[in-house]
Amino acid sequence: MAEYGYFLACEEHGPAALVEQARMAEQAGFTSLWISDHFHPWHDAQGQSPFVWSVIGALSQVTSLPVETAVTCPTMRLHPAVTAQAAATAAVQTNGRFRLGVGSGEALNEHVLGDRWPQAAVRLEMLEEAVQVMRSLFTGEEVSHHGKYYTVENARLYTVPEEPVPIDVSGFGPAATELAGRIGDGFVTMSPDADAVERFRRGGGATKPAMGGLKVCWAQEREAAVATAHRLWANEQLPGELPQVLPTPRHFEQANELITRERVAQNVPCGPDAEAYVQAITAYVEAGFDAVYLSQIGPDQRGFFDFYRSEVLPRLPG
């Protein structure tokens, strides 16, 4: 049975707005939350980027919904030992309703401490070792680790949940998807790619959850929604590795000039037609995903939740 969650966008909203959206999501009938983890927004028009762990602490006090980072990079800006402590605390705060989504990151967020941005294969090696370190720390036992990329000495987490935090791995290409199958407790991606789900399952994912994310823009007028989606999230349409290697919001703004409104209109469900959203979400279910997370683009969050409560969620596959 598919589940439907809401995707909180830290790139676009401040802490108070994110907390209020979580309340509205639960009231509207969404059953879980994703929240992004960025140091920068993708570009300046999005305009925000609060520290995700502070926001998760606030979410734990206002909603009973499970929460997951989508996704955290535990390899450069945050050492895996520090990420493990943050995730363990989040799991305690949410009474075990926290999952740690991880990925190999983007230069946009991870180069800010002056680290060299490595090639994709190296980033995946770093991620695999980081997951090993974090799982060791989630036991609550003292850990010393001397690996290829990370050193941990006499580290112990004293505040840990009753069960280790599940770690779901993001994948946008074959190598990352296979890694998710091999080391992840679940799979995270952003397109209804049936081949990716199958690759994850064959690689060791078996019955573990596959979760997909989808940006939408509800509005009374479709053209206004397309304009909003193009202004705020044209970067979602950038091809290939560009989102992983561009280093600053300014570079994304330059790349976004190549993305037309027509391309956004073709790829992002926009406007007042409930059927367009039902079809887009159902594509994930038909591709084999166990959960789909929706993120409303733009400021009209209340209108989105009212619309989805009455017009969309009741029509989705169970």
Side-chain angles (χ1 to χ4, degrees), residues 4-317:
Y4 303 100
Y6 189 69
F7 191 173
L8 300 165
C10 284
E11 306 92 323
E12 196 184 334
H13 303 283
L18 294 166
V19 169
E20 180 59 25
Q21 289 167 28
R23 287 196 190 98
M24 291 191 289
E26 186 165 19
Q27 293 167 359
F30 289 95
T31 58
S32 54
L33 299 169
W34 271 2
I35 185 166
S36 57
D37 177 5
H38 269 236
F39 189 87
H40 293 136
W42 294 101
H43 55 89
D44 283 0
Q46 291 174 345
Q48 293 286 341
S49 201
F51 189 55
V52 69
W53 302 105
S54 300
V55 180
I56 290 171
L59 294 176
S60 72
Q61 302 303 299
V62 302
T63 177
S64 64
L65 297 182
V67 181
E68 176 166 11
T69 52
V71 293
T72 289
C73 179
T75 63
M76 297 180 69
R77 172 172 51 100
L78 291 177
H79 189 282
V82 176
T83 306
Q85 185 184 27
T89 299
V92 171
Q93 287 177 308
T94 58
N95 295 314
R97 298 188 308 274
F98 177 76
R99 299 179 74 94
L100 177 63
V102 299
S104 60
E106 304 91 15
L108 174 72
N109 300 305
E110 304 308 321
H111 86 291
V112 295
L113 302 182
D115 297 289
R116 173 181 172 272
W117 186 238
Q119 293 182 328
V122 174
R123 301 200 305 269
L124 291 177
E125 280 188 354
M126 295 173 71
L127 180 62
E128 183 169 3
E129 186 177 334
V131 169
Q132 178 187 349
V133 169
M134 292 188 295
R135 286 213 167 102
S136 296
L137 286 164
F138 288 153
T139 65
E141 299 176 358
E142 184 176 300
V143 174
S144 291
H145 171 92
H146 298 274
K148 184 175 181 179
Y149 299 105
Y150 303 108
T151 297
V152 178
E153 292 188 350
N154 308 115
R156 178 184 172 189
L157 298 182
Y158 280 80
T159 302
V160 292
E162 293 183 2
E163 299 292 332
V165 179
I167 301 177
D168 301 324
V169 178
S170 172
F172 293 97
T177 301
E178 290 170 4
L179 180 66
R182 183 159 52 84
I183 71 169
D185 295 309
F187 175 51
V188 172
T189 195
M190 290 294 291
S191 65
D193 187 341
D195 291 339
V197 174
E198 178 60 25
R199 186 183 297 272
F200 167 71
R201 303 268 184 234
R202 288 198 314 267
T207 60
K208 297 173 183 177
M211 297 162 281
L214 174 65
K215 294 284 185 185
V216 302
C217 190
W218 175 86
Q220 296 284 3
E221 300 291 336
R222 186 170 188 275
E223 286 307 310
V226 170
T228 297
H230 181 260
R231 178 174 64 85
L232 293 176
W233 285 92
N235 57 280
E236 284 276 298
Q237 308 305 316
L238 293 174
E241 292 186 66
L242 274 181
Q244 281 72 55
V245 301
L246 295 179
T248 70
R250 181 178 69 257
H251 290 97
F252 277 91
E253 289 164 8
Q254 294 167 3
N256 284 349
E257 293 178 4
L258 303 175
I259 305 300
T260 64
R261 283 196 187 188
E262 289 73 21
R263 181 167 179 174
V264 170
Q266 290 171 1
N267 291 285
V268 181
C270 290
D273 181 9
E275 183 59 26
Y277 300 108
V278 171
Q279 290 181 7
I281 297 165
T282 300
Y284 284 79
V285 179
E286 293 176 345
F289 285 85
D290 302 288
V292 188
Y293 288 79
L294 287 299
S295 184
Q296 162 71 358
I297 297 170
D300 194 357
Q301 298 290 316
R302 172 57 70 186
F304 164 86
F305 286 117
D306 289 345
F307 179 76
Y308 265 66
R309 178 192 296 111
S310 61
E311 303 296 331
V312 179
L313 291 177
R315 298 174 57 186
L316 295 177

